[in-house]
Amino acid sequence: MEIQRTVKEMYYRVDPKFKYKVLKAPGGETFKFCYQCGTCTATCPVARFTDIFRPNKIIHLAKLGIRNVTYSDAVWLCVNCYSCTERCPQGVKVADVMRLLKNLAVEDGYIPEFSKEFMKNILNTGFVYSIPSSRISKRVTLGLPPPPQPKLADLKKLGEMVKISELIE
Amino acid sequence: MVNMRYALYLGCLIPFREMNYEISTRRVAKDIGIEICDMGDANCCGLPIDSVNHEMMTLLAARNLCLAENMELDIMTLCNGCTGVLMKVNKKLKADRELRKKVNHQLSSIGMEFQGKIKVKHFAQILADIDVDILKKFIIKPLHSLTIAGYIGCHIFRPSEFMEVKNPENPSLLDDLIKLTGAKSVRYVDEYQCCGFVEGAIEPQIPLFLAREKLRNAKKAGADAMVTICPSCHQVLDSNQRRAERKFSEIYDLPILHYPQLLGLAMGISHEELGFNELRVKPAKLLEYLMEV
């Protein structure tokens, strides 16, 4: 994880309107209430074991319009456990803001390989993992009913509705 | 016997990687009188791609909700993540007319419509809502000699805004369920902290650190075993336990059970029928101990 490089790159371009974009999108409405107390970082299970992920810093940078913050690996380290949302004294839905920042990064074409793969798997099999046939035969030996089999045509159509293929190509 | 019917939503992890959870749930539910109907057409709940596209996540979840509406049954989930997503989307769609209109327009392309007729509940929540006195009648082999550390996970009680939890800093759901089996439930440091399963895809070391904390603290508190109600937590604590032991040169050897397995033991069901053989950390000592008592 080349965080040093990413931080340097962050300062190259400032987009003063970025915060309005975040505020308008669903999940980002509470973002402006952050007053940098750092409760989110203190309660974050990930922040304990890495120096890269600091939710309050990410919110601060996003507020300043340093849009490149969303392009770094940092936002993707959020595990979505909602501890921060639960404890924020200002009622900022921190986990939702992180999710939104990831969504905005994907719109700009910054999508990690694993997310791409998840999306492709869902469209191709209906499940988030590709499933080896040995697991399906194991279900039979254990006496379990056949696994769910989603209609893939349905999923494809839903994907077309939100133009998902443009995001993962 | 209680008379209940639910549509069972399995998700992605349980039917292929955590089959013992499914086996034990089906077995226990049968004895209690909860009838399970399979959702043959269910897809991923949408949580893993929430970070890619929020709209797509909503659509995937809404499709599952519609399937259950067509079956005219409430959904029973086994995974915390699925519970969180399905419950949240269900509530948002029920409350927000604009959103529902938009989603229904998109769903019409696959001939579905969200009507808002059903509820979503985790198996643990279903059990907690049944009268304790009724459930106690099923406990024929109370596990008085066991000390259990419960690990509840995240999405079943956070964010509390959606999850209907009275005390989000101290949810008693799993605690009460463990006490129901007769076992002693211990508290330990960090018991409500995330397992970090999702992190496995981007920074695989972090779940190991998080697993280590929980395993050590639970052991220190004197637990004979840990109990989870989510396949992701189980993956981190059970399947990753050996890896964590190697990384930190420590030995935990702490069996991680799914809650229905513990309940099944207390109901006098044999461990073979509850899928104990499928556990990575073998609970042989635990079972021996139970035989002796």
Side-chain angles (χ1 to χ4, degrees), chain B residues 76 214 220 227 277:
Chain B
M76 170 169 127
K214 264 133 236 160
K220 224 184 254 172
V227 163
N277 301 336

Side-chain angles (χ1 to χ4, degrees), chain B residues 81-263:
Chain B
C82 304
T83 315
V85 164
L86 295 178
M87 228 166 149
K88 224 186 295 175
V89 171
N90 196 20
K91 281 190 184 169
K92 272 191 186 165
L93 287 178
K94 276 182 187 176
D96 188 342
R97 259 192 199 180
E98 285 295 304
L99 183 68
R100 185 159 74 188
K101 215 172 142 190
K102 192 177 144 200
V103 167
N104 269 340
H105 174 69
Q106 287 165 326
L107 283 176
S108 65
S109 70
I110 55 167
M112 284 187 178
E113 192 195 358
F114 177 84
Q115 291 164 317
K117 289 192 298 193
I118 58 148
K119 278 183 186 162
V120 180
K121 266 184 174 181
H122 191 284
F123 183 54
Q125 290 169 325
I126 293 172
L127 288 176
D129 285 350
I130 301 174
D131 192 1
V132 185
D133 294 324
I134 297 176
L135 282 180
K136 269 190 182 152
K137 281 181 202 153
F138 296 105
I139 308 294
I140 49 172
K141 273 192 185 169
L143 309 166
H144 293 308
S145 52
L146 282 190
T147 309
I148 301 288
Y151 182 62
I152 188 166
C154 298
H155 290 184
I156 197 158
F157 72 104
R158 280 190 297 240
S160 52
E161 180 194 351
F162 287 106
M163 306 313 286
E164 299 165 2
V165 187
K166 277 178 212 128
N167 188 356
E169 288 296 330
N170 191 7
S172 60
L173 175 72
L174 189 54
D175 243 16
D176 294 345
L177 287 176
I178 291 170
K179 280 176 197 150
L180 171 75
T181 64
K184 192 181 155 218
S185 164
V186 283
R187 310 293 302 270
Y188 55 98
V189 183
D190 287 342
E191 67 173 305
Y192 300 132
Q193 205 178 48
C194 180
C195 66
F197 176 75
V198 201
E199 207 79 332
I202 181 160
E203 185 63 282
Q205 297 302 315
I206 291 179
L208 295 182
F209 279 107
L210 286 164
R212 176 205 200 190
E213 300 249 304
K214 264 133 236 160
L215 294 166
R216 276 169 70 176
N217 294 339
K219 265 219 120 141
K220 224 184 254 172
D224 299 316
M226 267 173 106
V227 163
T228 60
I229 52 171
C230 171
S232 318
C233 305
H234 195 266
Q235 286 265 311
V236 171
L237 294 171
D238 185 56
S239 314
N240 270 357
Q241 199 175 118
R242 293 278 173 261
R243 213 177 296 158
E245 281 179 347
R246 274 200 300 275
K247 181 172 166 66
F248 303 112
S249 320
E250 291 170 341
I251 290 172
Y252 311 115
D253 200 25
L254 192 64
I256 316 290
L257 310 182
H258 296 287
Y259 178 72
Q261 293 181 316
L262 184 79
L263 182 63

Side-chain angles (χ1 to χ4, degrees), chain A residues 30 40 55-56 59 78 84-85 88 92-99:
Chain A
T30 52
C40 45
N56 63 323
I59 289 187
C78 172
C84 43
T85 310
C88 177
V92 180
K93 292 180 179 157
V94 188
D96 286 347
V97 174
M98 291 301 143
R99 191 263 304 153

Side-chain angles (χ1 to χ4, degrees), chain A residues 111-131 150 152 155-156 159 164-169, chain B residues 12 44 48-49 52-53 56 60:
Chain A
I111 175 169
E113 278 305 312
F114 74 90
S115 283
K116 230 186 242 182
E117 206 175 299
F118 283 177
M119 196 63 244
K120 278 180 189 160
N121 283 341
I122 289 180
L123 291 176
N124 294 336
T125 65
F127 299 105
V128 77
Y129 307 102
S130 54
I131 291 140
L152 298 178
L155 300 183
K156 210 178 149 198
I164 206 78
S165 52
E166 285 174 23
L167 298 178
I168 55 171
E169 282 318 317
Chain B
C12 301
C44 166
I49 52 138
V52 177
N53 193 300
M56 186 66 188
L60 286 176

